[in-house]
């Protein structure tokens, strides 16, 4: 079973990965966006780390709802609402249970990803974060490592696609040849989940 500490480690590992990869995310965003995705995500997950050090959410769902709320309040542009919706949606689907199974996490993460799709109106192949998240949800029932690999492959698969959503869509065919920065950061989130699972007996690495 996965407890509150597991979800805190997931968020902390995400913050570490985002901080490490912030410059790369901004470089990706420089080509087809506002050149601020890395700095925005670093600020947002830095705020998540800070609040988790000060507060003690009592359940896995509460950890994710708290993280999502702080992302919405600290990350500008579309990324804050989208990532906030992802984590809040996942957390709400987990409910108030003190521990959750891997199957419950898989189902809840699927609910969070579906909420992102509703908010952004995007689908697979639109060159968005969903191109990493949707294959990750499919693979998560197998293992965290499979989800990590699927998310990374999905992010890389955005390179030859024309953007159909967000600021990059204004570039049309000129967006082809660039990896979507949102898909790249979503792959980091899933990789951090796999990292947390490797250190947890209840996980499914």
């Amino acid at each position: 079973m996965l407890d509150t500490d597991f979800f805190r480690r997931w968020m902390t590992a995400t913050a570490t990965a985002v901080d490490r990869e912030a410059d790369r995310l901004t470089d990706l965003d420089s080509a087809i966006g506002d050149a601020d995705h890395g700095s925005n995500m670093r600020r947002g997950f830095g705020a998540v780390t800070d609040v988790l050090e000060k507060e003690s959410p009592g359940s896995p769902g509460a950890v994710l709802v708290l993280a999502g709320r702080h992302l919405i309040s600290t990350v500008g542009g579309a990324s804050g609402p989208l990532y906030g919706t992802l984590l809040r949606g996942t957390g709400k689907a987990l409910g108030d249970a003190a521990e959750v199974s891997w199957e419950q996490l898989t189902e809840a993460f699927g609910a969070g990803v579906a909420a992102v799709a509703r908010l952004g109106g995007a689908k697979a192949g639109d060159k968005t974060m969903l191109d990493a998240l949707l294959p990750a949800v499919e693979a998560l029932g197998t293992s965290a490592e499979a989800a990590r690999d699927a998310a990374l492959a999905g992010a890389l698969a955005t390179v030859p696609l024309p953007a159909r959503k967000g600021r990059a869509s204004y570039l049309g065919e000129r967006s082809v040849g660039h990896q979507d920065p949102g898909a790249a950061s979503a792959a980091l989130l899933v990789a951090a989940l796999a990292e947390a699972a490797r250190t947890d007996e209840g996980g499914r690495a």
Side-chain angles (χ1 to χ4, degrees):
M1 296 293 282
L2 307 172
D3 60 12
T4 301
D5 284 344
F6 173 88
F7 288 85
R8 293 172 69 97
R9 288 201 304 277
W10 178 18
M11 293 297 100
T12 301
T14 302
T16 300
V18 166
D19 184 61
R20 184 182 64 242
E21 300 287 338
D23 289 345
R24 181 175 71 88
L25 295 175
T26 291
D27 286 344
L28 293 174
D29 199 32
S30 297
I32 58 175
D34 293 330
D36 59 3
H37 189 60
S39 57
N40 281 342
M41 293 295 288
R42 172 186 276 157
R43 181 172 61 254
F45 275 97
V48 168
T49 300
D50 289 344
V51 74
L52 288 177
E53 288 177 353
K54 296 173 184 174
E55 300 185 23
S56 301
S59 69
V63 170
L64 297 185
V65 169
L66 180 64
R69 191 164 68 238
H70 276 262
L71 288 173
I72 291 172
S73 64
T74 58
V75 179
S79 298
L82 290 169
Y83 270 95
T85 295
L86 172 64
L87 296 183
R88 289 183 67 193
T90 303
K92 288 182 178 178
L94 289 175
D96 298 327
E99 294 184 327
V100 299
S101 67
W102 192 261
E103 289 73 19
Q104 288 172 307
L105 170 59
T106 300
E107 185 175 344
F109 194 60
V113 172
V116 170
R118 288 194 298 274
L119 178 64
K123 61 183 184 303
D126 282 347
K127 200 180 182 90
T128 72
M129 62 193 292
L130 288 176
D131 289 311
L133 294 175
L134 289 170
V137 168
E138 279 197 31
L140 196 56
T142 301
S143 71
E145 301 287 354
R148 177 201 62 194
D149 294 346
L152 179 58
L156 294 174
T158 63
V159 173
L161 299 175
R164 298 192 183 91
K165 289 289 180 181
R167 186 175 180 81
S169 65
Y170 302 157
L171 298 176
E173 291 298 321
R174 286 183 292 156
S175 64
V176 171
H178 302 282
Q179 185 179 165
D180 180 68
S185 58
L188 294 178
L189 177 78
V190 179
L193 175 61
E195 182 179 333
R198 279 199 302 274
T199 60
D200 191 283
E201 293 181 356
R204 190 181 294 183

